[in-house]
Amino acid sequence: MGEIHCRVEECVHNASKMCKATAINVKSRGTKTPKTTDETACETFKSR
């Protein structure tokens, strides 16, 4: 997997602004086809 940058400091996978999760799951929010980053969500997020 390539480098995944992360600015969510509250996530357990964030290590110095880099995602260290073994896999990343991203989905669209709602039923529409996403056209912006605001219309997507990281399902891999886990709070510290």
Side-chain angles (χ1 to χ4, degrees), residues 25-37:
N25 295 315
V26 180
K27 69 173 191 169
S28 63
R29 293 183 187 201
T31 57
K32 58 187 169 185
T33 303
K35 294 183 174 139
T36 69
T37 56

Side-chain angles (χ1 to χ4, degrees), residues 1 3-5 8-9 11-13 15-17 19-20 25-27 30-34 38 41-42 44 46-48:
M1 179 168 33
E3 291 184 351
I4 307 294
H5 298 265
V8 182
E9 294 177 12
C11 184
V12 298
H13 302 294
S16 300
K17 299 186 181 175
C19 182
K20 299 300 180 184
N25 295 315
V26 180
K27 69 173 191 169
T31 57
K32 58 187 169 185
T33 303
D38 289 338
C42 178
T44 309
K46 286 186 183 175
S47 184
R48 290 185 190 266

